[in-house]
Amino acid sequence: MKRQLLLLLVGLMAVCTQAQQFQQEFGNPRKPFAQVVATPNHADSHYAVGQTALLRIVAQEGGVPLNGTKVYYKVGPEMFLPSGRDSVTFADGEALIPMGTMTEPGFLACQYEFKTADGKTQKDLVKLAFSPEQIQTFTPMPKDFEQFWQKALKAARKIDLEPEYFDVPDATNDKMTTKLVRLHVGKDKWIYGYLTMPTSAGSVMLPNSTYSNQTSSLSEGLGEAFPVVLCPPGAGSTKPYPSDYFPREGCIYLKIEIHDNDPRIPDDEYNAMRQKKCDGYMRRGMESKDTYYYKDVYVGCARAVDFLCSLPEWDGRNVIVTGGSQGGALTIVTAALNEKVTFCAPFYPALCDLTGFLHHRAGGWPKFFTSFYKDGQVDIPQQQAVETLQYFDVVNFARLLKVPTFMSWGYNDDTCSPTSVWAAWNVITAPKQKDITPSSGHWRFPTSQEKCLEWMKAGL
């Protein structure tokens, strides 16, 4: 037995030695074998209606330009690509795809792919804007829109928030304290959130930034008082987790979920619960504006701001709301509903221009009135759904914004279409600043977050 164990040990050592020799002999590649860059003939990806767009793809394999490799592609209005494909061939490392033009404001998309010599498929989605400043929403504002939401918020404010606090030792240290909090934000509505608070104002410094050489915290000069930041969640029902990003900048930070799902539950139980409890929530109760699931969610986010502003550590002035996707939508909604909000910073907001697909144009997530995936399927009469959604379309909340707004989005997003985001952006009359990174999809570059932070800092 001992002899067998010895032989096994020797064998393992030999394998490890060989592995080390191979690593030393061949090294690790520091660049991908295939390097691909797709560039439109307008560098900013913007065209006027009627202008012709051309997409130039440059590709190398190990530093050698591609020759003779076919590129297969589809071109069409975003989210309405044709079923058939065309092709072009690389010559001296370049392939040119004629994307054509548009006759109305919107986005033209190109989906392309090709295989490299190592057998791997290279593919991407590129969207180009045509007169996006002229994109208009298809969603009208109901005459009683403001009255409906003022009444809903007034009713919710009659209900005591009844905050319950639970310790979170793993997210608490000498610089910040974190509690899990449960709030009663409506008659039958509760939400959970992680509340993280710095221990002292001005003690945490901004990291070095491309956009500023200063090292002041967002709360510097405010004594022991702090700005507050609410972060609504993206779509779905995944567990929230604490974050120290804004607390490190000297802010009280509340990161919430919207389904009253206790994140302390073990993962397997949590996943079973949320699947049963939250599946298809974005379609639930759509028969009426009074029963639609998002009614309590929208008002609940506004009440979360009320909670933050009830904390004695709040500075009494600065209230920031920021989030991405569904969280970006809820950011706009919250800023429009709650008069205490002073900064609105959505990223690629969802729920914008929800009836766009009925007009053969890309709408916002959840892509209602399409068959793309089950969340977009509407199982009630179409006109009934349209009447309800007018009260929940983020475009109509964007019309009401009165506070400074920073919005960031990309063009290669196939979840929250840039057409729908532009439809919301174009109706905002409040002071606004946009950050567009055409090559990003349903995500953001770190520089966009840094720009947003600098914008917040300048306005405090």
PDB file of all heavy atoms in Angstrom, residues 77-80 102 104-107 134-139 352-364 368 370 372 395 417 419-424:
ATOM      1  N   PRO A  77     -32.972  47.129 -39.613  1.00  0.00           N
ATOM      2  CA  PRO A  77     -33.318  47.938 -38.431  1.00  0.00           C
ATOM      3  C   PRO A  77     -33.070  47.127 -37.163  1.00  0.00           C
ATOM      4  O   PRO A  77     -33.257  45.907 -37.145  1.00  0.00           O
ATOM      5  CB  PRO A  77     -34.814  48.221 -38.625  1.00  0.00           C
ATOM      6  CG  PRO A  77     -35.054  48.059 -40.089  1.00  0.00           C
ATOM      7  CD  PRO A  77     -34.112  46.976 -40.542  1.00  0.00           C
ATOM      8  N   GLU A  78     -32.615  47.793 -36.102  1.00  0.00           N
ATOM      9  CA  GLU A  78     -32.248  47.022 -34.912  1.00  0.00           C
ATOM     10  C   GLU A  78     -33.427  46.198 -34.402  1.00  0.00           C
ATOM     11  O   GLU A  78     -34.561  46.640 -34.370  1.00  0.00           O
ATOM     12  CB  GLU A  78     -31.716  47.936 -33.806  1.00  0.00           C
ATOM     13  CG  GLU A  78     -32.715  48.863 -33.172  1.00  0.00           C
ATOM     14  CD  GLU A  78     -32.221  49.362 -31.817  1.00  0.00           C
ATOM     15  OE1 GLU A  78     -31.425  48.679 -31.156  1.00  0.00           O
ATOM     16  OE2 GLU A  78     -32.667  50.446 -31.426  1.00  0.00           O
ATOM     17  N   MET A  79     -33.105  44.962 -34.032  1.00  0.00           N
ATOM     18  CA  MET A  79     -34.043  43.964 -33.545  1.00  0.00           C
ATOM     19  C   MET A  79     -35.012  43.464 -34.619  1.00  0.00           C
ATOM     20  O   MET A  79     -35.944  42.729 -34.320  1.00  0.00           O
ATOM     21  CB  MET A  79     -34.816  44.466 -32.320  1.00  0.00           C
ATOM     22  CG  MET A  79     -33.933  44.736 -31.121  1.00  0.00           C
ATOM     23  SD  MET A  79     -34.864  45.002 -29.606  1.00  0.00           S
ATOM     24  CE  MET A  79     -33.522  45.409 -28.486  1.00  0.00           C
ATOM     25  N   PHE A  80     -34.788  43.868 -35.870  1.00  0.00           N
ATOM     26  CA  PHE A  80     -35.598  43.376 -36.986  1.00  0.00           C
ATOM     27  C   PHE A  80     -34.685  42.929 -38.126  1.00  0.00           C
ATOM     28  O   PHE A  80     -34.894  43.260 -39.287  1.00  0.00           O
ATOM     29  CB  PHE A  80     -36.566  44.460 -37.477  1.00  0.00           C
ATOM     30  CG  PHE A  80     -37.677  44.769 -36.525  1.00  0.00           C
ATOM     31  CD1 PHE A  80     -37.564  45.821 -35.626  1.00  0.00           C
ATOM     32  CD2 PHE A  80     -38.839  44.006 -36.502  1.00  0.00           C
ATOM     33  CE1 PHE A  80     -38.590  46.106 -34.743  1.00  0.00           C
ATOM     34  CE2 PHE A  80     -39.874  44.291 -35.631  1.00  0.00           C
ATOM     35  CZ  PHE A  80     -39.748  45.341 -34.742  1.00  0.00           C
ATOM     36  N   MET A 102     -31.047  54.764 -43.676  1.00  0.00           N
ATOM     37  CA  MET A 102     -32.408  54.729 -43.143  1.00  0.00           C
ATOM     38  C   MET A 102     -33.167  55.952 -43.633  1.00  0.00           C
ATOM     39  O   MET A 102     -32.578  57.021 -43.854  1.00  0.00           O
ATOM     40  CB  MET A 102     -32.409  54.693 -41.606  1.00  0.00           C
ATOM     41  CG  MET A 102     -31.785  53.447 -41.010  1.00  0.00           C
ATOM     42  SD  MET A 102     -32.059  53.317 -39.213  1.00  0.00           S
ATOM     43  CE  MET A 102     -33.818  52.833 -39.178  1.00  0.00           C
ATOM     44  N   GLU A 104     -35.911  57.010 -41.897  1.00  0.00           N
ATOM     45  CA  GLU A 104     -36.500  57.605 -40.699  1.00  0.00           C
ATOM     46  C   GLU A 104     -35.492  57.522 -39.556  1.00  0.00           C
ATOM     47  O   GLU A 104     -34.618  56.651 -39.557  1.00  0.00           O
ATOM     48  CB  GLU A 104     -37.787  56.868 -40.300  1.00  0.00           C
ATOM     49  CG  GLU A 104     -38.911  56.997 -41.312  1.00  0.00           C
ATOM     50  CD  GLU A 104     -40.163  56.256 -40.856  1.00  0.00           C
ATOM     51  OE1 GLU A 104     -40.097  55.586 -39.802  1.00  0.00           O
ATOM     52  OE2 GLU A 104     -41.195  56.356 -41.536  1.00  0.00           O
ATOM     53  N   PRO A 105     -35.598  58.405 -38.550  1.00  0.00           N
ATOM     54  CA  PRO A 105     -34.675  58.342 -37.427  1.00  0.00           C
ATOM     55  C   PRO A 105     -34.744  56.991 -36.717  1.00  0.00           C
ATOM     56  O   PRO A 105     -35.828  56.429 -36.524  1.00  0.00           O
ATOM     57  CB  PRO A 105     -35.172  59.463 -36.502  1.00  0.00           C
ATOM     58  CG  PRO A 105     -35.873  60.422 -37.413  1.00  0.00           C
ATOM     59  CD  PRO A 105     -36.520  59.568 -38.464  1.00  0.00           C
ATOM     60  N   GLY A 106     -33.575  56.462 -36.383  1.00  0.00           N
ATOM     61  CA  GLY A 106     -33.543  55.169 -35.712  1.00  0.00           C
ATOM     62  C   GLY A 106     -32.152  54.568 -35.765  1.00  0.00           C
ATOM     63  O   GLY A 106     -31.161  55.279 -35.971  1.00  0.00           O
ATOM     64  N   PHE A 107     -32.077  53.234 -35.615  1.00  0.00           N
ATOM     65  CA  PHE A 107     -30.793  52.539 -35.593  1.00  0.00           C
ATOM     66  C   PHE A 107     -30.778  51.398 -36.584  1.00  0.00           C
ATOM     67  O   PHE A 107     -31.728  50.620 -36.678  1.00  0.00           O
ATOM     68  CB  PHE A 107     -30.498  51.998 -34.189  1.00  0.00           C
ATOM     69  CG  PHE A 107     -29.908  53.020 -33.270  1.00  0.00           C
ATOM     70  CD1 PHE A 107     -30.721  53.978 -32.688  1.00  0.00           C
ATOM     71  CD2 PHE A 107     -28.548  53.049 -33.013  1.00  0.00           C
ATOM     72  CE1 PHE A 107     -30.197  54.938 -31.843  1.00  0.00           C
ATOM     73  CE2 PHE A 107     -28.004  54.005 -32.173  1.00  0.00           C
ATOM     74  CZ  PHE A 107     -28.826  54.956 -31.588  1.00  0.00           C
ATOM     75  N   GLN A 134     -33.841  63.053 -33.335  1.00  0.00           N
ATOM     76  CA  GLN A 134     -35.197  63.239 -33.841  1.00  0.00           C
ATOM     77  C   GLN A 134     -36.121  62.056 -33.528  1.00  0.00           C
ATOM     78  O   GLN A 134     -37.278  62.041 -33.929  1.00  0.00           O
ATOM     79  CB  GLN A 134     -35.154  63.469 -35.352  1.00  0.00           C
ATOM     80  CG  GLN A 134     -34.389  64.711 -35.777  1.00  0.00           C
ATOM     81  CD  GLN A 134     -34.266  64.822 -37.292  1.00  0.00           C
ATOM     82  OE1 GLN A 134     -35.081  64.267 -38.031  1.00  0.00           O
ATOM     83  NE2 GLN A 134     -33.249  65.537 -37.747  1.00  0.00           N
ATOM     84  N   ILE A 135     -35.617  61.060 -32.800  1.00  0.00           N
ATOM     85  CA  ILE A 135     -36.459  59.910 -32.442  1.00  0.00           C
ATOM     86  C   ILE A 135     -37.547  60.365 -31.476  1.00  0.00           C
ATOM     87  O   ILE A 135     -37.273  60.993 -30.451  1.00  0.00           O
ATOM     88  CB  ILE A 135     -35.612  58.789 -31.801  1.00  0.00           C
ATOM     89  CG1 ILE A 135     -34.660  58.196 -32.837  1.00  0.00           C
ATOM     90  CG2 ILE A 135     -36.504  57.696 -31.219  1.00  0.00           C
ATOM     91  CD1 ILE A 135     -33.674  57.190 -32.268  1.00  0.00           C
ATOM     92  N   GLN A 136     -38.772  60.054 -31.799  1.00  0.00           N
ATOM     93  CA  GLN A 136     -39.903  60.426 -30.959  1.00  0.00           C
ATOM     94  C   GLN A 136     -40.585  59.168 -30.421  1.00  0.00           C
ATOM     95  O   GLN A 136     -40.677  58.153 -31.109  1.00  0.00           O
ATOM     96  CB  GLN A 136     -40.913  61.270 -31.747  1.00  0.00           C
ATOM     97  CG  GLN A 136     -40.346  62.601 -32.217  1.00  0.00           C
ATOM     98  CD  GLN A 136     -41.381  63.436 -32.961  1.00  0.00           C
ATOM     99  OE1 GLN A 136     -42.551  63.070 -33.030  1.00  0.00           O
ATOM    100  NE2 GLN A 136     -40.951  64.561 -33.519  1.00  0.00           N
ATOM    101  N   THR A 137     -41.054  59.263 -29.193  1.00  0.00           N
ATOM    102  CA  THR A 137     -41.730  58.124 -28.577  1.00  0.00           C
ATOM    103  C   THR A 137     -43.101  57.890 -29.212  1.00  0.00           C
ATOM    104  O   THR A 137     -43.728  58.822 -29.734  1.00  0.00           O
ATOM    105  CB  THR A 137     -41.903  58.350 -27.068  1.00  0.00           C
ATOM    106  OG1 THR A 137     -42.567  57.210 -26.507  1.00  0.00           O
ATOM    107  CG2 THR A 137     -42.722  59.603 -26.789  1.00  0.00           C
ATOM    108  N   PHE A 138     -43.550  56.639 -29.169  1.00  0.00           N
ATOM    109  CA  PHE A 138     -44.895  56.307 -29.607  1.00  0.00           C
ATOM    110  C   PHE A 138     -45.877  56.311 -28.431  1.00  0.00           C
ATOM    111  O   PHE A 138     -47.076  56.094 -28.643  1.00  0.00           O
ATOM    112  CB  PHE A 138     -44.910  54.920 -30.257  1.00  0.00           C
ATOM    113  CG  PHE A 138     -44.251  54.887 -31.606  1.00  0.00           C
ATOM    114  CD1 PHE A 138     -43.063  54.211 -31.800  1.00  0.00           C
ATOM    115  CD2 PHE A 138     -44.831  55.527 -32.685  1.00  0.00           C
ATOM    116  CE1 PHE A 138     -42.458  54.174 -33.054  1.00  0.00           C
ATOM    117  CE2 PHE A 138     -44.236  55.493 -33.941  1.00  0.00           C
ATOM    118  CZ  PHE A 138     -43.045  54.819 -34.129  1.00  0.00           C
ATOM    119  N   THR A 139     -45.387  56.559 -27.220  1.00  0.00           N
ATOM    120  CA  THR A 139     -46.232  56.484 -26.028  1.00  0.00           C
ATOM    121  C   THR A 139     -46.763  57.859 -25.654  1.00  0.00           C
ATOM    122  O   THR A 139     -45.987  58.749 -25.301  1.00  0.00           O
ATOM    123  CB  THR A 139     -45.447  55.913 -24.839  1.00  0.00           C
ATOM    124  OG1 THR A 139     -44.928  54.628 -25.194  1.00  0.00           O
ATOM    125  CG2 THR A 139     -46.343  55.770 -23.619  1.00  0.00           C
ATOM    126  N   CYS A 352     -38.602  51.807 -21.581  1.00  0.00           N
ATOM    127  CA  CYS A 352     -38.804  53.042 -22.340  1.00  0.00           C
ATOM    128  C   CYS A 352     -39.479  52.739 -23.679  1.00  0.00           C
ATOM    129  O   CYS A 352     -39.117  51.776 -24.353  1.00  0.00           O
ATOM    130  CB  CYS A 352     -37.465  53.737 -22.625  1.00  0.00           C
ATOM    131  SG  CYS A 352     -36.569  54.299 -21.159  1.00  0.00           S
ATOM    132  N   ASP A 353     -40.432  53.573 -24.065  1.00  0.00           N
ATOM    133  CA  ASP A 353     -41.099  53.459 -25.365  1.00  0.00           C
ATOM    134  C   ASP A 353     -41.603  52.026 -25.583  1.00  0.00           C
ATOM    135  O   ASP A 353     -41.278  51.371 -26.576  1.00  0.00           O
ATOM    136  CB  ASP A 353     -40.152  53.879 -26.481  1.00  0.00           C
ATOM    137  CG  ASP A 353     -40.889  54.272 -27.755  1.00  0.00           C
ATOM    138  OD1 ASP A 353     -42.018  54.797 -27.654  1.00  0.00           O
ATOM    139  OD2 ASP A 353     -40.353  54.047 -28.854  1.00  0.00           O
ATOM    140  N   LEU A 354     -42.434  51.575 -24.661  1.00  0.00           N
ATOM    141  CA  LEU A 354     -42.820  50.162 -24.595  1.00  0.00           C
ATOM    142  C   LEU A 354     -43.662  49.681 -25.766  1.00  0.00           C
ATOM    143  O   LEU A 354     -43.754  48.479 -26.011  1.00  0.00           O
ATOM    144  CB  LEU A 354     -43.566  49.905 -23.278  1.00  0.00           C
ATOM    145  CG  LEU A 354     -42.700  50.026 -22.023  1.00  0.00           C
ATOM    146  CD1 LEU A 354     -43.550  49.933 -20.766  1.00  0.00           C
ATOM    147  CD2 LEU A 354     -41.617  48.958 -22.009  1.00  0.00           C
ATOM    148  N   THR A 355     -44.298  50.585 -26.491  1.00  0.00           N
ATOM    149  CA  THR A 355     -45.126  50.162 -27.626  1.00  0.00           C
ATOM    150  C   THR A 355     -44.388  50.262 -28.951  1.00  0.00           C
ATOM    151  O   THR A 355     -44.987  50.120 -30.016  1.00  0.00           O
ATOM    152  CB  THR A 355     -46.425  50.993 -27.701  1.00  0.00           C
ATOM    153  OG1 THR A 355     -46.085  52.380 -27.868  1.00  0.00           O
ATOM    154  CG2 THR A 355     -47.256  50.831 -26.438  1.00  0.00           C
ATOM    155  N   GLY A 356     -43.090  50.485 -28.902  1.00  0.00           N
ATOM    156  CA  GLY A 356     -42.321  50.639 -30.135  1.00  0.00           C
ATOM    157  C   GLY A 356     -42.484  49.485 -31.099  1.00  0.00           C
ATOM    158  O   GLY A 356     -42.601  49.675 -32.315  1.00  0.00           O
ATOM    159  N   PHE A 357     -42.517  48.254 -30.570  1.00  0.00           N
ATOM    160  CA  PHE A 357     -42.600  47.081 -31.443  1.00  0.00           C
ATOM    161  C   PHE A 357     -43.925  47.008 -32.202  1.00  0.00           C
ATOM    162  O   PHE A 357     -43.994  46.373 -33.254  1.00  0.00           O
ATOM    163  CB  PHE A 357     -42.383  45.810 -30.628  1.00  0.00           C
ATOM    164  CG  PHE A 357     -40.959  45.636 -30.180  1.00  0.00           C
ATOM    165  CD1 PHE A 357     -40.586  45.951 -28.882  1.00  0.00           C
ATOM    166  CD2 PHE A 357     -39.988  45.179 -31.055  1.00  0.00           C
ATOM    167  CE1 PHE A 357     -39.275  45.799 -28.468  1.00  0.00           C
ATOM    168  CE2 PHE A 357     -38.672  45.016 -30.651  1.00  0.00           C
ATOM    169  CZ  PHE A 357     -38.312  45.339 -29.350  1.00  0.00           C
ATOM    170  N   LEU A 358     -44.963  47.643 -31.681  1.00  0.00           N
ATOM    171  CA  LEU A 358     -46.239  47.676 -32.407  1.00  0.00           C
ATOM    172  C   LEU A 358     -46.143  48.530 -33.665  1.00  0.00           C
ATOM    173  O   LEU A 358     -46.996  48.448 -34.547  1.00  0.00           O
ATOM    174  CB  LEU A 358     -47.354  48.220 -31.507  1.00  0.00           C
ATOM    175  CG  LEU A 358     -47.762  47.330 -30.327  1.00  0.00           C
ATOM    176  CD1 LEU A 358     -48.828  48.036 -29.489  1.00  0.00           C
ATOM    177  CD2 LEU A 358     -48.279  45.985 -30.824  1.00  0.00           C
ATOM    178  N   HIS A 359     -45.096  49.347 -33.734  1.00  0.00           N
ATOM    179  CA  HIS A 359     -44.888  50.236 -34.879  1.00  0.00           C
ATOM    180  C   HIS A 359     -43.674  49.798 -35.707  1.00  0.00           C
ATOM    181  O   HIS A 359     -43.095  50.606 -36.437  1.00  0.00           O
ATOM    182  CB  HIS A 359     -44.703  51.672 -34.386  1.00  0.00           C
ATOM    183  CG  HIS A 359     -45.873  52.180 -33.584  1.00  0.00           C
ATOM    184  ND1 HIS A 359     -46.945  52.825 -34.157  1.00  0.00           N
ATOM    185  CD2 HIS A 359     -46.141  52.090 -32.255  1.00  0.00           C
ATOM    186  CE1 HIS A 359     -47.827  53.131 -33.215  1.00  0.00           C
ATOM    187  NE2 HIS A 359     -47.356  52.708 -32.048  1.00  0.00           N
ATOM    188  N   HIS A 360     -43.304  48.524 -35.564  1.00  0.00           N
ATOM    189  CA  HIS A 360     -42.181  47.942 -36.292  1.00  0.00           C
ATOM    190  C   HIS A 360     -40.893  48.719 -36.032  1.00  0.00           C
ATOM    191  O   HIS A 360     -40.092  48.982 -36.931  1.00  0.00           O
ATOM    192  CB  HIS A 360     -42.465  47.883 -37.797  1.00  0.00           C
ATOM    193  CG  HIS A 360     -41.661  46.819 -38.493  1.00  0.00           C
ATOM    194  ND1 HIS A 360     -41.888  45.473 -38.330  1.00  0.00           N
ATOM    195  CD2 HIS A 360     -40.598  46.917 -39.343  1.00  0.00           C
ATOM    196  CE1 HIS A 360     -41.007  44.787 -39.045  1.00  0.00           C
ATOM    197  NE2 HIS A 360     -40.221  45.635 -39.668  1.00  0.00           N
ATOM    198  N   ARG A 361     -40.724  49.119 -34.746  1.00  0.00           N
ATOM    199  CA  ARG A 361     -39.496  49.781 -34.325  1.00  0.00           C
ATOM    200  C   ARG A 361     -39.111  49.235 -32.964  1.00  0.00           C
ATOM    201  O   ARG A 361     -39.973  48.891 -32.142  1.00  0.00           O
ATOM    202  CB  ARG A 361     -39.712  51.303 -34.233  1.00  0.00           C
ATOM    203  CG  ARG A 361     -38.411  52.076 -34.077  1.00  0.00           C
ATOM    204  CD  ARG A 361     -38.655  53.567 -33.987  1.00  0.00           C
ATOM    205  NE  ARG A 361     -39.101  53.978 -32.653  1.00  0.00           N
ATOM    206  CZ  ARG A 361     -39.397  55.226 -32.318  1.00  0.00           C
ATOM    207  NH1 ARG A 361     -39.359  56.178 -33.240  1.00  0.00           N
ATOM    208  NH2 ARG A 361     -39.774  55.518 -31.088  1.00  0.00           N
ATOM    209  N   ALA A 362     -37.824  49.146 -32.705  1.00  0.00           N
ATOM    210  CA  ALA A 362     -37.357  48.571 -31.440  1.00  0.00           C
ATOM    211  C   ALA A 362     -37.876  49.370 -30.255  1.00  0.00           C
ATOM    212  O   ALA A 362     -37.740  50.594 -30.201  1.00  0.00           O
ATOM    213  CB  ALA A 362     -35.833  48.550 -31.418  1.00  0.00           C
ATOM    214  N   GLY A 363     -38.487  48.669 -29.310  1.00  0.00           N
ATOM    215  CA  GLY A 363     -38.905  49.277 -28.058  1.00  0.00           C
ATOM    216  C   GLY A 363     -37.960  48.875 -26.946  1.00  0.00           C
ATOM    217  O   GLY A 363     -36.917  48.262 -27.171  1.00  0.00           O
ATOM    218  N   GLY A 364     -38.336  49.220 -25.728  1.00  0.00           N
ATOM    219  CA  GLY A 364     -37.476  48.913 -24.593  1.00  0.00           C
ATOM    220  C   GLY A 364     -37.809  47.587 -23.947  1.00  0.00           C
ATOM    221  O   GLY A 364     -38.849  46.976 -24.217  1.00  0.00           O
ATOM    222  N   PHE A 368     -42.159  44.113 -24.930  1.00  0.00           N
ATOM    223  CA  PHE A 368     -43.555  43.702 -25.060  1.00  0.00           C
ATOM    224  C   PHE A 368     -44.000  43.719 -26.520  1.00  0.00           C
ATOM    225  O   PHE A 368     -43.469  44.474 -27.331  1.00  0.00           O
ATOM    226  CB  PHE A 368     -44.457  44.627 -24.244  1.00  0.00           C
ATOM    227  CG  PHE A 368     -44.308  44.473 -22.757  1.00  0.00           C
ATOM    228  CD1 PHE A 368     -44.125  45.584 -21.941  1.00  0.00           C
ATOM    229  CD2 PHE A 368     -44.349  43.223 -22.161  1.00  0.00           C
ATOM    230  CE1 PHE A 368     -44.001  45.447 -20.574  1.00  0.00           C
ATOM    231  CE2 PHE A 368     -44.221  43.073 -20.792  1.00  0.00           C
ATOM    232  CZ  PHE A 368     -44.044  44.182 -19.995  1.00  0.00           C
ATOM    233  N   THR A 370     -43.703  41.315 -28.651  1.00  0.00           N
ATOM    234  CA  THR A 370     -42.797  40.568 -29.523  1.00  0.00           C
ATOM    235  C   THR A 370     -42.843  39.108 -29.095  1.00  0.00           C
ATOM    236  O   THR A 370     -43.399  38.763 -28.054  1.00  0.00           O
ATOM    237  CB  THR A 370     -41.343  41.052 -29.413  1.00  0.00           C
ATOM    238  OG1 THR A 370     -40.821  40.660 -28.132  1.00  0.00           O
ATOM    239  CG2 THR A 370     -41.252  42.562 -29.553  1.00  0.00           C
ATOM    240  N   PHE A 372     -39.790  37.531 -28.966  1.00  0.00           N
ATOM    241  CA  PHE A 372     -38.361  37.302 -28.772  1.00  0.00           C
ATOM    242  C   PHE A 372     -38.107  36.323 -27.628  1.00  0.00           C
ATOM    243  O   PHE A 372     -37.284  35.450 -27.706  1.00  0.00           O
ATOM    244  CB  PHE A 372     -37.640  38.617 -28.485  1.00  0.00           C
ATOM    245  CG  PHE A 372     -37.589  39.547 -29.662  1.00  0.00           C
ATOM    246  CD1 PHE A 372     -37.350  40.896 -29.490  1.00  0.00           C
ATOM    247  CD2 PHE A 372     -37.787  39.076 -30.952  1.00  0.00           C
ATOM    248  CE1 PHE A 372     -37.301  41.757 -30.567  1.00  0.00           C
ATOM    249  CE2 PHE A 372     -37.743  39.934 -32.032  1.00  0.00           C
ATOM    250  CZ  PHE A 372     -37.502  41.280 -31.838  1.00  0.00           C
ATOM    251  N   VAL A 395     -40.694  56.804 -20.453  1.00  0.00           N
ATOM    252  CA  VAL A 395     -40.689  58.037 -21.240  1.00  0.00           C
ATOM    253  C   VAL A 395     -41.556  59.101 -20.578  1.00  0.00           C
ATOM    254  O   VAL A 395     -41.195  60.285 -20.531  1.00  0.00           O
ATOM    255  CB  VAL A 395     -41.164  57.754 -22.683  1.00  0.00           C
ATOM    256  CG1 VAL A 395     -41.469  59.056 -23.407  1.00  0.00           C
ATOM    257  CG2 VAL A 395     -40.099  56.988 -23.455  1.00  0.00           C
ATOM    258  N   SER A 417     -32.870  48.741 -26.088  1.00  0.00           N
ATOM    259  CA  SER A 417     -32.463  49.274 -27.390  1.00  0.00           C
ATOM    260  C   SER A 417     -32.096  50.753 -27.301  1.00  0.00           C
ATOM    261  O   SER A 417     -32.754  51.524 -26.605  1.00  0.00           O
ATOM    262  CB  SER A 417     -33.599  49.102 -28.404  1.00  0.00           C
ATOM    263  OG  SER A 417     -34.686  49.949 -28.081  1.00  0.00           O
ATOM    264  N   THR A 419     -32.611  52.905 -29.482  1.00  0.00           N
ATOM    265  CA  THR A 419     -33.753  53.669 -29.991  1.00  0.00           C
ATOM    266  C   THR A 419     -34.671  54.062 -28.843  1.00  0.00           C
ATOM    267  O   THR A 419     -35.105  55.218 -28.736  1.00  0.00           O
ATOM    268  CB  THR A 419     -34.550  52.834 -31.015  1.00  0.00           C
ATOM    269  OG1 THR A 419     -33.717  52.542 -32.132  1.00  0.00           O
ATOM    270  CG2 THR A 419     -35.778  53.592 -31.503  1.00  0.00           C
ATOM    271  N   SER A 420     -34.976  53.125 -27.957  1.00  0.00           N
ATOM    272  CA  SER A 420     -35.888  53.406 -26.852  1.00  0.00           C
ATOM    273  C   SER A 420     -35.259  54.359 -25.836  1.00  0.00           C
ATOM    274  O   SER A 420     -35.956  55.207 -25.253  1.00  0.00           O
ATOM    275  CB  SER A 420     -36.307  52.102 -26.164  1.00  0.00           C
ATOM    276  OG  SER A 420     -35.227  51.488 -25.498  1.00  0.00           O
ATOM    277  N   VAL A 421     -33.953  54.244 -25.623  1.00  0.00           N
ATOM    278  CA  VAL A 421     -33.281  55.143 -24.680  1.00  0.00           C
ATOM    279  C   VAL A 421     -33.271  56.568 -25.220  1.00  0.00           C
ATOM    280  O   VAL A 421     -33.529  57.533 -24.489  1.00  0.00           O
ATOM    281  CB  VAL A 421     -31.855  54.644 -24.389  1.00  0.00           C
ATOM    282  CG1 VAL A 421     -31.118  55.631 -23.493  1.00  0.00           C
ATOM    283  CG2 VAL A 421     -31.889  53.268 -23.726  1.00  0.00           C
ATOM    284  N   TRP A 422     -32.981  56.703 -26.526  1.00  0.00           N
ATOM    285  CA  TRP A 422     -33.028  58.029 -27.131  1.00  0.00           C
ATOM    286  C   TRP A 422     -34.444  58.628 -27.052  1.00  0.00           C
ATOM    287  O   TRP A 422     -34.610  59.839 -26.868  1.00  0.00           O
ATOM    288  CB  TRP A 422     -32.577  57.964 -28.592  1.00  0.00           C
ATOM    289  CG  TRP A 422     -31.120  58.241 -28.796  1.00  0.00           C
ATOM    290  CD1 TRP A 422     -30.130  57.329 -29.026  1.00  0.00           C
ATOM    291  CD2 TRP A 422     -30.474  59.521 -28.794  1.00  0.00           C
ATOM    292  NE1 TRP A 422     -28.917  57.957 -29.165  1.00  0.00           N
ATOM    293  CE2 TRP A 422     -29.098  59.309 -29.038  1.00  0.00           C
ATOM    294  CE3 TRP A 422     -30.929  60.819 -28.613  1.00  0.00           C
ATOM    295  CZ2 TRP A 422     -28.175  60.347 -29.087  1.00  0.00           C
ATOM    296  CZ3 TRP A 422     -30.007  61.871 -28.668  1.00  0.00           C
ATOM    297  CH2 TRP A 422     -28.654  61.630 -28.906  1.00  0.00           C
ATOM    298  N   ALA A 423     -35.468  57.790 -27.184  1.00  0.00           N
ATOM    299  CA  ALA A 423     -36.845  58.286 -27.092  1.00  0.00           C
ATOM    300  C   ALA A 423     -37.093  58.927 -25.732  1.00  0.00           C
ATOM    301  O   ALA A 423     -37.798  59.944 -25.629  1.00  0.00           O
ATOM    302  CB  ALA A 423     -37.838  57.148 -27.332  1.00  0.00           C
ATOM    303  N   ALA A 424     -36.508  58.341 -24.677  1.00  0.00           N
ATOM    304  CA  ALA A 424     -36.641  58.921 -23.338  1.00  0.00           C
ATOM    305  C   ALA A 424     -35.767  60.162 -23.189  1.00  0.00           C
ATOM    306  O   ALA A 424     -36.205  61.193 -22.666  1.00  0.00           O
ATOM    307  CB  ALA A 424     -36.274  57.881 -22.274  1.00  0.00           C
TER     308      ALA A 424
END
